Amino acid sequence: MTVAGLIFSNIHDSALPELTRMRTIASVPFGCKYRLIDFPLSNMVNSGINKVGIVTHYNYQSLLDHIGTGKDWDLARRSGGIKILPPFITAYDNAAANKLYNTRLEALLGVMNFIRRCNEDYIVMSDCDIICNIDIADVLDKHVAQGADITIATKRIAPKSYSLSNENEVIITDSDGNIKDITEYTATEDEIDISMNVIVIKRVLLENLLLDAAAHGFNSFYRDIVGRNIGKLNIKVYRYDGYYSLVGSLESYFHASMKLLRPEARAGLFSISNRPVYTKVRNTPPAKYIDGSKVSNSLVADGCVIEGRVENSILFRGVKVGRGTVVKNSILMQDTYVGNDVKLNCVISDKNVMIKDGRELSGHESMPFFLGKGVKI
């Protein structure tokens, strides 16, 4: 059994406009040194998938810089490896024809050449808005054992704990794991099975379904491909019960990040045997703690210099915290400079932000104070 992977890097950009103005959601920084694409990419590599196509749309310069040749994931290969799949637009197309994809199905139709050229038996698809450490090899084994045509990984959640929208698909199944219906999320207090957008399908079947969808002008993968084939194809669910976070808004990004401050959350994501999370390796000096500084319940990356106080916060590489400064419940991304006698609470700063001496900034857990890339305040 051979498998190729497809990762969608742009589909959920609109859910996090603050952090995707100049990057894809796949390259949004997370957890001190990672990017969101590291999690689906590591899930695939850990399951023996060594050919992965990354479907791009726009704003993917930082993604290309992060992925590079793929060597940090052992994907710098002559055969297979990482394939960046940008939109295909010819020089002769007019403005109307130059419309880029808006849905998962349109994105798949745009990479039909990649799918056709694959010789692998199965395709595994994944998004970048869900943070988990799923054993895709187990999903594949159960897919084959059940004789399924399509298998969709799901997670049972309480909606009030996540920022769900009508773009999130609710999966309704019977006791045997057969999908009976797929609906858009609507406000409810009850626990639901939500699609993780990790999908396994035979490559030939996917190609045939895409050709049929193109012929009929369909544009929704779940509604027009999965929904129309319920009862015709053997469509199963894989119920995932491990660590799970959904990045569906700035608030949910903040909560997903803060969750990492709990040891059990870090263990559920990063400490699973034989399933490490890989990322781009950078050689930087260790963090430096100046006399009088105090750090508690925080994640601090290499290259940081701490002179003040840091509590319940996440600091990326190269962050500087000045004397007399207090940083609480905040996320400071790479090379953020915080001057002296500053007070921060529930703040998210993008890369290369400068906060000058004496400033006092405060947000709330439900609405963090956000500073865009390169901002000086």
Side-chain angles (χ1 to χ4, degrees):
M1 179 175 64
T2 54
V3 188
L6 270 177
I7 297 176
F8 300 93
S9 67
N10 283 97
I11 280 185
H12 301 285
D13 285 3
S14 60
L16 197 59
E18 298 89 349
L19 288 168
T20 57
R21 187 173 64 88
M22 300 180 67
R23 58 168 73 91
T24 68
I25 197 167
S27 50
V28 167
F30 183 80
C32 279
K33 62 179 183 179
Y34 299 94
R35 303 288 183 121
L36 291 184
I37 195 171
D38 293 337
F39 299 96
L41 193 53
S42 297
N43 290 338
M44 291 186 179
V45 170
N46 291 332
S47 299
I49 300 174
N50 55 33
K51 182 177 184 179
V52 180
I54 300 177
V55 185
T56 62
H57 190 292
Y58 57 89
N59 278 356
Y60 50 86
Q61 181 174 338
S62 63
L63 178 64
L64 294 178
D65 177 67
H66 180 70
I67 295 295
T69 62
K71 66 181 178 64
D72 294 300
W73 297 265
D74 192 27
L75 290 174
R77 298 166 179 247
R78 182 171 297 175
S79 176
I82 280 185
K83 311 291 183 184
I84 303 297
L85 306 174
F88 179 74
I89 300 173
T90 71
Y92 304 100
D93 285 336
N94 56 35
N98 278 344
K99 191 181 96 169
L100 301 179
Y101 68 77
N102 293 309
T103 68
R104 186 184 312 277
L105 179 52
E106 290 173 356
L108 285 169
L109 290 171
V111 296
M112 275 292 288
N113 284 337
F114 171 81
I115 295 170
R116 284 181 178 137
R117 290 195 190 107
C118 286
N119 296 318
E120 287 74 14
D121 302 319
Y122 294 92
I123 298 286
V124 174
M125 295 179 275
S126 184
D127 290 355
C128 293
D129 64 326
I130 288 174
I131 301 163
C132 67
N133 193 329
I134 186 172
D135 186 355
I136 293 178
D138 188 50
V139 183
L140 284 160
D141 289 342
K142 291 185 177 177
H143 174 86
V144 174
Q146 294 173 329
D149 295 306
I150 302 173
T151 297
I152 301 173
T154 63
K155 175 72 175 179
R156 191 154 188 83
I157 64 170
K160 64 181 179 181
S161 302
Y162 299 90
S163 297
L164 300 180
S165 70
N166 58 7
E167 293 185 0
N168 295 109
E169 308 293 341
V170 178
I171 309 295
I172 300 170
T173 65
D174 61 18
S175 57
D176 295 324
N178 299 302
I179 294 181
K180 292 302 179 185
D181 197 9
I182 296 179
T183 64
E184 294 178 349
Y185 169 75
T186 54
T188 178
E189 296 295 325
D190 300 328
E191 286 193 343
I192 55 175
D193 289 318
I194 200 80
S195 171
M196 295 174 62
N197 294 322
V198 175
I199 303 166
V200 178
I201 185 170
K202 188 167 283 191
R203 181 186 59 81
V204 174
L205 174 61
L206 176 61
E207 186 175 339
N208 291 335
L209 290 173
L210 292 176
L211 290 173
D212 180 69
H216 288 88
F218 296 153
N219 60 20
S220 170
F221 181 85
Y222 279 101
R223 184 180 64 249
D224 294 324
I225 288 188
V226 179
R228 289 174 184 271
N229 285 289
I230 292 175
K232 300 176 184 177
L233 297 176
N234 184 11
I235 307 176
K236 295 281 191 178
V237 296
Y238 175 91
R239 293 187 172 93
Y240 171 72
D241 59 2
Y243 178 95
Y244 172 93
S245 284
L246 171 65
V247 179
S249 66
L250 189 66
E251 177 189 354
S252 63
Y253 172 82
F254 180 81
H255 286 294
S257 298
M258 291 296 108
K259 191 189 295 186
L260 293 180
L261 298 179
R262 303 202 297 263
E264 65 273 14
R266 294 196 299 274
L269 187 59
F270 298 112
S271 300
I272 299 177
S273 178
N274 301 319
R275 300 216 306 267
V277 180
Y278 301 99
T279 190
K280 182 178 180 178
V281 175
R282 296 179 185 272
N283 296 318
T284 50
K288 185 176 182 180
Y289 302 90
I290 307 301
D291 288 344
S293 63
K294 183 179 180 180
V295 178
S296 61
N297 193 38
S298 298
L299 299 178
V300 180
D302 297 340
C304 292
V305 178
I306 313 296
E307 296 185 67
R309 197 168 87 214
V310 179
E311 300 177 11
N312 304 320
S313 296
I314 297 175
L315 275 54
F316 286 71
R317 294 183 177 100
V319 171
K320 167 75 165 57
V321 177
R323 295 185 308 276
T325 289
V326 178
V327 178
K328 294 183 178 180
N329 310 309
S330 296
I331 303 167
L332 306 182
M333 294 186 190
Q334 185 174 324
D335 296 325
T336 293
Y337 174 88
V338 184
N340 300 327
D341 302 313
V342 174
K343 293 183 179 179
L344 303 181
N345 180 52
C346 292
V347 172
I348 299 175
S349 73
D350 207 330
K351 296 172 65 175
N352 301 308
V353 165
M354 174 181 285
I355 302 172
K356 297 181 180 179
D357 295 351
R359 303 304 193 259
E360 185 170 343
L361 306 175
S362 181
H364 188 267
E365 291 180 358
S366 62
M367 188 176 290
F369 191 102
F370 177 73
L371 296 169
K373 188 174 183 179
V375 165
K376 296 181 181 180
I377 188 170

